[in-house]
Amino acid sequence: MQRRMRGWTWIGGPLLVVLGLLHAGGHPARAQSEPRVEARVSADSVKIGERFTLTLVAARAADRDVMFPSVDAGSAVFGDLHAVRRGAVRTRRSSTARRVDSVAYEVTTFALDSARVPVLPVRLASGGDTTVVGTPPRTVPVVSVVGPDAEALRTPAALIPFPRPAWVWGLLGLLTAAVLGGGAYGWWRWRTHDQDGPDAPDPERAYEAASAQLRRLERRHPSGPEAAKAFYVDLTEALRVYLVRRVGVRALEQTTAEVVAALRRRPEVREETIQRLRAVLEQADLVKFADAQPPPAESQAVLDDAQAVLDALEATRRRDEARATDDASSSA
């Protein structure tokens, strides 16, 4: 019996290994090359306002560069967590073809009961291609700061009313009139701004305004991280406002992927123009959200591409308007 068991072990061991590889998809090398990211927190539960550590870990191929979210990305990226500061990126080698990068954020939260940690985007770049991999979402329990004797708390007794002198009522009347007047003025200013804001229809001057804003950027040299972010924020604002006013795409409230999808639903816009606009917006996203710092020469090239996209969109728009005018004249 023991000889039979040893024979089965000798045959069955390699068989189980082969079955395991087949279950994994038959491509162990490809499975190992796939990037993996995860988010770790330093505590099982936290208190409101307490600072703790959020660590992002990315296992990737050695020929890829990793870019973690910026510390000032805000709630759109970090959800219920507020990032206070970010540490340096640390890299270790797991094998000759794999690297593991990690970065620690000091965070806090003011959520009640639980804090939502959404899918955190980690960008992996190789050559001219960029892949975004997200961490699995998770929830961090938030412990109440009220102690176990909370049932013994009592509502404070009401204050004893004291009679107010006449001048107090007069002052309250003046304050009320000032608040009402300020509210009316603010409403009027809001209405005026809403009519003259980015969503206001002004197709005749949209191209000129966007081109002038891009020309002003030619005099800037975004050499530092803050200067680079400001440069790309102004550059994408010029393009997005033009898309709103002239093309009719709600670009100010859409992501880069949504803007590209909206333009592809318009057959008059050429695919070459869409791809060029996508490259400009994705470069700006890397600078604004992943702390990328391109050299000034590369930023100038992106600025030239933005102007080329603007020219192509305007030429398409004017051609369609001329065609519509000719059709209207023919039908009349």
Side-chain angles (χ1 to χ4, degrees):
M1 177 64 70
Q2 291 180 354
R3 290 183 179 178
R4 291 181 181 179
M5 291 298 295
R6 283 197 297 270
W8 169 248
T9 303
W10 181 79
I11 298 174
L15 180 61
L16 291 177
V17 172
V18 173
L19 292 176
L21 291 177
L22 292 175
H23 180 70
H27 301 282
R30 186 175 64 184
Q32 291 179 0
S33 64
E34 291 296 326
R36 300 191 309 274
V37 297
E38 61 176 318
R40 305 170 183 173
V41 294
S42 60
D44 295 333
S45 61
V46 297
K47 296 180 180 180
I48 295 178
E50 179 184 7
R51 295 192 179 187
F52 57 100
T53 302
L54 169 70
T55 304
L56 299 185
V57 181
R60 43 86 181 183
D63 60 345
R64 289 197 169 192
D65 296 327
V66 63
M67 290 167 284
F68 294 101
S70 172
V71 71
D72 56 355
S75 59
V77 172
F78 289 100
D80 292 335
L81 302 184
H82 173 69
V84 179
R85 63 174 57 91
R86 193 186 89 168
V89 177
R90 299 185 177 181
T91 304
R92 62 180 177 88
R93 176 182 299 179
S94 59
S95 65
T96 56
R98 299 283 289 177
R99 300 289 187 276
V100 178
D101 298 277
S102 64
V103 63
Y105 298 82
E106 184 178 357
V107 297
T108 186
T109 183
F110 298 95
L112 299 177
D113 297 330
S114 63
R116 178 182 60 89
V117 183
V119 176
L120 298 172
V122 177
R123 296 180 181 270
L124 300 173
S126 178
D129 297 331
T130 301
T131 303
V132 179
V133 184
T135 64
R138 61 179 304 165
T139 301
V140 179
V142 179
V143 181
S144 174
V145 296
V146 180
D149 59 343
E151 296 181 356
L153 298 178
R154 295 292 184 267
T155 304
L159 297 176
I160 300 176
F162 291 92
R164 295 186 177 90
W167 66 267
V168 174
W169 296 109
L171 181 60
L172 290 176
L174 292 175
L175 291 176
T176 302
V179 170
L180 293 177
Y185 176 76
W187 178 84
W188 175 79
R189 290 290 298 172
W190 175 80
R191 292 286 296 176
T192 303
H193 175 74
D194 184 65
Q195 294 176 358
D196 297 334
D199 295 331
D202 191 8
E204 298 299 328
R205 300 186 56 189
Y207 173 73
E208 289 77 6
S211 297
Q213 186 169 351
L214 293 181
R215 285 194 299 270
R216 287 192 295 269
L217 290 177
E218 293 179 353
R219 299 189 294 268
R220 291 162 61 174
H221 303 282
S223 57
E226 297 302 326
K229 284 186 180 181
F231 177 87
Y232 280 92
V233 166
D234 292 343
L235 186 149
T236 54
E237 180 184 9
L239 290 176
R240 289 177 179 272
V241 170
Y242 173 83
L243 290 172
V244 172
R245 292 182 176 177
R246 190 66 167 149
V247 187
V249 176
R250 302 174 63 182
L252 290 176
E253 56 192 63
Q254 292 178 337
T255 63
T256 296
E258 291 171 342
V259 171
V260 171
L263 288 176
R264 282 180 173 158
R265 290 193 291 269
R266 298 172 178 266
E268 69 274 12
V269 182
R270 298 176 58 185
E271 180 64 23
E272 179 183 356
T273 303
I274 296 175
Q275 290 294 340
R276 208 165 186 178
L277 174 64
R278 177 182 180 180
V280 172
L281 296 180
E282 286 184 346
Q283 173 74 354
D285 290 343
L286 289 176
V287 176
K288 292 188 292 184
F289 304 122
D291 286 343
Q293 297 184 31
E298 183 177 345
S299 297
Q300 181 62 44
V302 174
L303 181 60
D304 295 339
D305 288 341
Q307 184 63 55
V309 169
L310 202 62
D311 295 340
L313 290 174
E314 182 64 17
T316 301
R317 186 61 179 166
R318 291 184 180 180
R319 183 176 62 251
D320 293 342
E321 289 176 349
R323 187 178 304 167
T325 302
D326 294 340
D327 294 341
S329 301
S330 300
S331 61

